Structures are given as C-alpha cells and as structure tokens.
Amino acid sequence: MTDETPRETFEHDPIGHAEARAGMTVGELADEYGNAGIGASAIHEAVDVYAEMLGDDDVTNFFGLAGAMVPTGMRRIVADLIRDGHIDALVTTGANLTHDAIEAIGGKHHHGEVHAEGKTEREHDERLRDEGVDRIYNVYLPQEHFALFEGHLRDEVFPALEAECEAEGAVSIQRLTEELGRANAEVNDAEDIEEGAGVAAAAYEHDVPIYCPAVQDSVLGLQAWMYSQTSEFTLDALSDMTTITDQAFDAEKAGAMVVGGGVPKNYTLQTMLVAPDAYDYAVQLTMDSPETGGLSGATLDEARSWGKLEKAARNASVYADATITLPLVVAAARERIADGEGDR
C-alpha cells in the first residue's frame, strides 16, 4: 500500500480475546463471543438481534422449527417461549409434532449410539430394526410409542375433527394442530405424565397458531391419511395461508427466528411476499451451506433480495448445530430482556 491509497474498507476494530471464567452467565459468555471472530461473532450478533426482537412489544414473532429438534431435547425451550409470549406463530414439521405428542402422552426418547462397539453402522441399525427401535442419529425411540400415538389420534384427536368435516367440509391443518394440542394437554394432565405437555399444548393454551404446511411428510400425516380413508375427515391444505398472511399483514413490525431450513423456513419467510411490509428482524440457525443454492442454507441477506426482509432489517445467520446454538441464543436473549436491555 502506498501513502496515496486510502483504506476504504478498513476500520480499526481489533479482535478481542474472549474470557471464559467460572460463574459467568450465558449472557456474559455471549458478550465475550462478540470480542472474537468467525462463529463466535455470529452467535453474538444473533443474540443481539433476537433480544431486540423479543424485547419490542410491537414485534409479531414468527418461529420456524425444522429438523429433529423435539426428539433431541429442544422441546421445552420452544414451549416456554410460547408460554412467555415470545412466539406469535409457529411453523414446524409433522415430525416435530409427532414426537411432541409422544412425549406428552407418556412416551420417551432415549440416548443412543450411532453404531455399537464392534459393529458397523449398518449392522447396528439391522439389530435395532429387529429390536423395534427407531434411530435419529444418536437418539432412540421404541416403536411401540408410535402405536401409542396412533391410539391417541384415533381416540382423542380425529373424532372431533371428523364431526367438523361432516358438518362443514374439510378442516385446516392449523385446526388439526390446535386439536392435537388440546388432546395432548388433557391426556398429559389426566394421566399425570411426568414430562410436560409440550409445544402443541402450550400453543393451544395460549392461542398461538401452529402451521404445518408439509404435514403429509410425517407419521402424523400418515395417520391422518389413513383415518381419512374410512371417514369424512379431510384437510384443507390452503386455508392456513389466509390466517398466517393475516398475521403478517396486521403486524406493526415482524421478526422471524428460523431453526433449520426446508418447508418451515420458506413458509415462514414467504408470508411476507403478500404482506405490505417485510421482516424487520430475522435470525436463522442452520448447518446447511449457502453455496449449493438450496433454501435451507440460503442467507437472510439473499432473502432480502426477494422482499422477505426489509432493506434495513437486522438479521443474523449462524451456521452450526442448532441443538447447541438455540439454547445459547435463547438463554442469552432472555437474560438481556430480564436486564432491560432487549429493546435498544
């Protein structure tokens, strides 16, 4: 560089060295991440944006939840966000709702192994098949819990919806998730289940709609289809788009927390394409790379080009395992709100 060449893009903002000490809070740790680079600085920015989203009462908060987040232990985090008024609309998968209901009515997921000692992964999974155990990476689910789930749907959920279909025609997918939440809550309470009633129950109890646009792609969807073969029960796949679009249209300001990608991510973000404004805040937690052009890894800056985010929107993307990043971001953002620092 010569004296005549100005440094147009350089600002004197030196990297700091994060401190990790005994007794620090998760919020203090997130602040320390802000001194560092790469993923640490991304976590810090995500906390900053999410805390501002949650701390502003004028923001309508949309939450997209994809991936195996419920069976891997993230269920209570999402349910508590709903109970505390931090989620106004939840968009998720039929799989997450299936596993949520299984826990609500007495089933459990268990720690497992990717492969057993002395066996290949294939040999291990062949043994699990013989034992009647389904594997989600290093989480096990005994298959008998799916029979429990089927009975729950047929006894507690589908009959009321069938009666509505007989009287009025098809019901919306959101109406299915609402009825699932009601049934989960009632069975959980009546049978004094040790585990909490979960995500769908919290949404039902707090009038938070759950949208599940790809419900067919799940055991819940399979059970709904099978029940429809011998009854008047059927789902209207398009009607939910009216209610979620109304929420977006009526929002003074809007924020999106997107965990994972796929349908929940796109369904959450595309809502703003038919609203007068776009998201003012957005955070995504994903492990998918943007270079493939797939939606799951696409940056939120790219979403801005589609008009899904406002040009001036605050947004952050964190590329890491969401079972690590979601608890950290939520806890740190909650700490800021409790300290009165969220809306700043």
Side-chain angles (χ1 to χ4, degrees):
M1 185 187 76
T2 67
D3 292 341
E4 290 76 25
T5 305
R7 282 176 161 163
E8 294 180 355
T9 61
F10 178 79
E11 294 182 7
H12 189 67
D13 186 13
I15 290 291
H17 297 282
E19 180 183 9
R21 63 183 184 277
M24 69 192 311
T25 68
V26 66
E28 290 170 339
L29 178 61
D31 287 342
E32 289 295 320
Y33 278 5
N35 294 323
I38 310 182
S41 61
I43 285 281
H44 177 267
E45 179 67 11
V47 170
D48 202 42
V49 175
Y50 196 47
E52 190 169 326
M53 280 172 54
L54 298 188
D56 188 341
D57 292 336
D58 293 330
V59 174
T60 299
N61 285 289
F62 295 77
F63 197 106
L65 186 70
M69 299 303 287
V70 168
T72 54
M74 302 293 108
R75 179 175 183 256
R76 184 179 300 178
I77 293 171
V78 180
D80 285 346
L81 285 169
I82 293 171
R83 291 190 182 96
D84 292 341
H86 294 317
I87 295 177
D88 298 300
L90 176 65
V91 182
T92 191
T93 62
N96 275 318
L97 293 175
T98 296
H99 294 286
D100 176 58
I102 285 172
E103 294 261 346
I105 62 177
K108 281 301 297 180
H109 300 80
H110 301 270
H111 289 284
E113 299 174 303
V114 177
H115 57 80
E117 184 177 354
K119 288 185 171 64
T120 65
E121 186 172 349
R122 174 171 177 165
E123 290 170 339
H124 177 52
D125 286 319
E126 288 174 348
R127 176 63 182 269
L128 290 176
R129 173 68 176 271
D130 293 339
E131 294 177 351
V133 176
D134 293 326
R135 180 171 72 88
I136 307 169
Y137 192 61
N138 61 357
V139 174
Y140 291 165
L141 179 65
Q143 289 179 359
E144 59 265 27
H145 292 332
F146 285 114
L148 180 70
F149 177 59
E150 179 180 2
H152 177 61
L153 293 175
R154 288 181 170 271
D155 295 341
E156 306 292 341
V157 179
F158 291 152
L161 298 173
E162 180 183 2
E164 291 178 24
C165 290
E166 290 173 346
E168 304 173 10
V171 296
S172 69
I173 298 171
Q174 189 271 322
R175 179 69 188 95
L176 167 63
T177 65
E178 180 183 41
E179 190 65 13
L180 180 64
R182 179 205 59 77
N184 290 355
E186 291 185 3
V187 171
N188 186 268
D189 181 62
E191 299 187 9
D192 195 24
I193 305 298
E194 182 177 356
E195 191 59 64
V199 174
Y204 169 75
E205 291 165 355
H206 293 272
D207 296 320
V208 172
I210 296 179
Y211 303 106
C212 187
V215 67
Q216 303 95 321
D217 185 29
S218 66
V219 172
L220 173 59
L222 282 171
Q223 290 295 336
W225 170 73
M226 286 191 287
Y227 193 83
S228 74
Q229 301 306 293
T230 56
S231 75
E232 296 299 314
F233 169 68
T234 189
L235 293 172
D236 182 344
L238 295 179
S239 60
D240 285 351
M241 299 188 77
T242 300
T243 52
I244 192 171
T245 301
D246 285 347
Q247 283 186 279
F249 197 94
D250 294 338
E252 183 174 341
K253 290 187 280 186
M257 165 61 88
V258 181
V259 182
V263 172
K265 176 181 177 181
N266 188 63
Y267 197 79
T268 300
L269 296 180
Q270 77 171 13
T271 298
M272 291 300 172
L273 295 178
V274 289
D277 299 308
Y279 281 109
D280 301 281
Y281 303 95
V283 174
Q284 78 163 343
L285 311 177
T286 184
M287 288 186 69
D288 291 298
S289 170
E291 286 82 6
T292 64
L295 175 93
S296 294
T299 65
L300 293 172
D301 290 321
E302 181 179 307
R304 182 178 279 105
S305 77
W306 290 76
K308 299 173 183 177
L309 270 66
E310 295 287 354
K311 288 183 178 180
R314 293 200 63 197
N315 58 277
S317 296
V318 181
Y319 293 89
D321 180 352
T323 62
I324 298 170
T325 58
L326 179 63
L328 199 160
V329 170
V330 169
R334 280 179 170 277
E335 187 174 320
R336 286 199 187 178
I337 294 169
D339 291 340
E341 300 177 11
D343 188 7
R344 61 180 187 178

